[in-house]
Amino acid sequence: MDQKSIQAAVATLRAGGLVVFPTETVYGLGADAANASAVRKIFAAKGRPADHPVIVHLASERQLSQWASEIPPAAEQLAERFWPGPLTLIVKRAKSVIDEVTGGQDTIGLRVPSHPVAQALLQAFGGGIAAPSANRFGHISPTTAGHAREELGDRVDLILDGGACEVGIESTIVDVSGGTPVLLRPGRVSEEEIEAVLQIPLAHAGAGSPRVSGTLAAHYAPHLPLMIASSGMLDAVVREQASRQLVAVLARRPRPSYSSATVWMVGPRDAAEFAHYLYAGLRQLDQCGCNVIIVEAPPETPDWAAVRDRVGRAAVGSGAKPIAADSAVSTA
Ligand code: TXA
Ligand code: MG
């Protein structure tokens, strides 16, 4: 990324404009986190409810104290171990933080991204950049600059192209603002890795705090209905659906010669690689001219937790009806 593009992005942020920038997880829709009218533009561009808080991105852990009123030992330990990287920490907000960022709550989400372009931008800007994922509310997060442009187009002032995002799904979110740390959203940084640092088990968020859009049951959804079929039932479900409509499949094994699917996409067998590929794959399937997407259920092992979470929410968000009389198939 050339210095000129970074300077243009900094000038846009200082002028209260919106900048799409790459992070290692997904592309962010950024605004100056200290500028209320700039942050309000984020919500307008996304079509997102105004009381949903946004993550503030920082260049370095050293800025934590400017944004947090309390830094509990758990926050310090996790920041030390995982920043810069795909982890967001929820902490008590500093007094100076504006309500537009926190949705009026007394906590704030903070993250130091590792992507070189995000780092260059944050260092040149100096302040915090408020940024949700650069997609329309409820839709799939963009993992390329082109996908961000498809989502937001001329609703933003500038798009920095940093190539395809390595992680491919949003950051892990841990709330360390209360007593027991709570996992609000699974991601590349796993529950096991976090517990290994904290030496205590994480609590889990109750069914969908309405203030955390990423934990709404329905989110991260393609436009087409999306169904999940267990590996054992996949062929039968595809056959049944294909008798009525055009079926696109995202599986982890090759297409059987007898399959009546119209499109069959093979995803990686490794969880991290599958996550990297998931949103781009769903976007492609969304536009392939089929009527329904059927995803082979991810394995039940811990390494697949984040992918299971996103695919599950995509299924709910797409509004697919469960297939009657088949307990092996669900849309959640
Ligand atoms: O990987 C990521 O986290 C990406 C990149 C751009 O950094 N960002 C992202 O932002 O996914 P967003 O807004 O799409 O999702 C952030 C989630 C939302 O569900 C939001 O409600 C939650 O974090 N969040 C932010 N601040 C919070 C707070 N103070 N308390 C609870 N949840 C919070
Ligand atoms: Mg989002």
Side-chain angles (χ1 to χ4, degrees), residues 226-230 237 295 297 312 315 320-323 326-332:
L226 184 150
M227 294 169 170
I228 301 170
S230 66
V237 173
V295 179
K321 301 257 181 333
I323 298 171
D326 184 351
S327 59
V329 179
S330 80
T331 60

Side-chain angles (χ1 to χ4, degrees), residues 72 74-75 78 89-92 174-182 198:
L78 293 176
L89 296 174
I90 309 294
V91 291
K92 289 259 191 288
V174 180
D175 185 346
V176 286
S177 69
T180 309
V182 185
L198 298 180

Side-chain angles (χ1 to χ4, degrees), residues 56-67 83 110-113 118-119 122 127-129:
V56 173
H57 297 69
L58 305 173
S60 151
E61 186 186 335
R62 289 191 298 278
Q63 291 163 290
L64 201 51
S65 59
Q66 292 166 38
W67 298 86
W83 283 357
L110 297 169
R111 165 160 127 76
V112 176
Q119 271 294 327
L122 285 161
I129 300 179

Side-chain angles (χ1 to χ4, degrees), residues 77-277:
Q77 291 164 345
L78 293 176
E80 166 73 19
R81 168 72 177 78
F82 296 111
W83 283 357
L87 175 72
T88 296
L89 296 174
I90 309 294
V91 291
K92 289 259 191 288
R93 72 193 256 188
K95 271 211 190 72
S96 55
V97 178
I98 58 177
D99 283 339
E100 281 77 4
V101 161
T102 64
Q105 302 184 84
D106 64 350
T107 56
I108 181 170
L110 297 169
R111 165 160 127 76
V112 176
S114 63
H115 193 290
V117 174
Q119 271 294 327
L121 178 65
L122 285 161
Q123 281 170 26
F125 180 61
I129 300 179
S133 50
N135 51 275
R136 300 278 296 161
F137 182 64
H139 198 222
I140 305 170
S141 297
T143 53
T144 69
H147 294 163
R149 191 170 292 113
E150 275 171 33
E151 289 285 329
L152 299 166
D154 52 13
R155 294 163 186 265
V156 302
D157 299 297
L158 194 146
I159 297 179
L160 291 176
D161 189 343
C165 302
E166 190 223 318
V167 176
I169 56 172
E170 307 78 1
S171 61
T172 306
I173 305 182
V174 180
D175 185 346
V176 286
S177 69
T180 309
V182 185
L183 180 70
L184 295 184
R185 182 171 72 183
R188 163 71 75 86
V189 174
S190 72
E191 191 170 348
E192 292 72 24
E193 287 176 283
I194 293 165
E195 289 177 342
V197 170
L198 298 180
Q199 297 287 313
I200 47 165
L202 284 175
H204 292 94
S209 152
R211 287 299 187 86
V212 186
S213 35
T215 68
L216 292 177
H219 213 66
Y220 311 115
H223 298 295
L224 287 181
L226 184 150
M227 294 169 170
I228 301 170
S230 66
S231 300
M233 290 301 295
L234 182 61
D235 291 341
V237 173
V238 169
R239 194 181 326 118
E240 197 270 335
Q241 288 293 311
S243 67
R244 295 186 269 126
Q245 51 186 347
L246 301 180
V247 172
V249 175
L250 174 55
R252 297 186 314 287
R253 56 177 157 89
R255 175 198 191 103
S257 55
Y258 51 79
S259 178
S260 40
T262 301
V263 174
W264 187 288
M265 193 181 261
V266 183
R269 301 190 64 86
D270 172 78
E273 281 173 37
F274 194 95
H276 166 76
Y277 175 87

Side-chain angles (χ1 to χ4, degrees), residues 8-25:
V10 168
T12 302
L13 292 173
R14 294 214 169 112
L18 296 181
V19 173
V20 168
F21 65 99
T23 81
E24 68 278 23
T25 56

